[in-house]
Amino acid sequence: MPYYRTPELGIIHMRGTKLPAPCAARILINGREEPRLYASEFLCDCRDQHKGTCDAPLCPAHAHQIGPNKHLCPACRLHQQEDSKQRSLFTSLI
């Protein structure tokens, strides 16, 4: 029975067995890091060495599409950008 955050009502508790998991991304609310708690529509497809894929539930705002039906969570996207050899335009090449 997940908890969801809505702009109109705040945090609500819903009952049911077929409800989606809340988004695993973190956001800042009043200077504190809180869970997003929006209904998820996607799962993170980043490869993990230990368990296969990350599988973090993601809302549309935090799912970064990398291919057809392939999405990354913010943490995996950041990790993947750090590992890639292609840097941004403003990265110095020393």
Side-chain angles (χ1 to χ4, degrees):
M1 291 183 258
Y3 288 89
Y4 296 115
R5 184 184 316 274
T6 63
E8 301 85 22
L9 302 173
I11 296 178
I12 57 173
H13 182 229
M14 306 234 358
R15 290 183 173 214
T17 57
K18 304 252 184 216
L19 295 172
C23 181
R26 312 284 290 175
I27 58 173
L28 285 176
I29 298 176
N30 297 329
R32 290 183 21 198
E33 193 173 287
E34 300 281 339
R36 169 84 162 110
L37 297 180
Y38 191 80
S40 65
E41 296 180 22
F42 308 104
L43 293 177
C44 180
D45 297 308
C46 182
R47 291 279 174 215
D48 188 3
Q49 295 175 350
H50 303 292
K51 59 179 180 176
T53 59
C54 176
D55 288 336
L58 300 167
C59 67
H62 289 102
H64 300 282
Q65 188 168 7
I66 57 170
N69 202 22
K70 300 267 185 199
H71 299 85
L72 291 179
C73 66
C76 289
R77 182 174 183 226
L78 181 63
H79 181 68
Q80 197 172 55
Q81 284 177 343
E82 290 173 352
D83 288 345
S84 72
K85 297 197 187 297
Q86 178 69 33
R87 299 295 181 178
S88 71
L89 177 66
F90 301 105
T91 304
S92 63
L93 300 172
I94 298 175

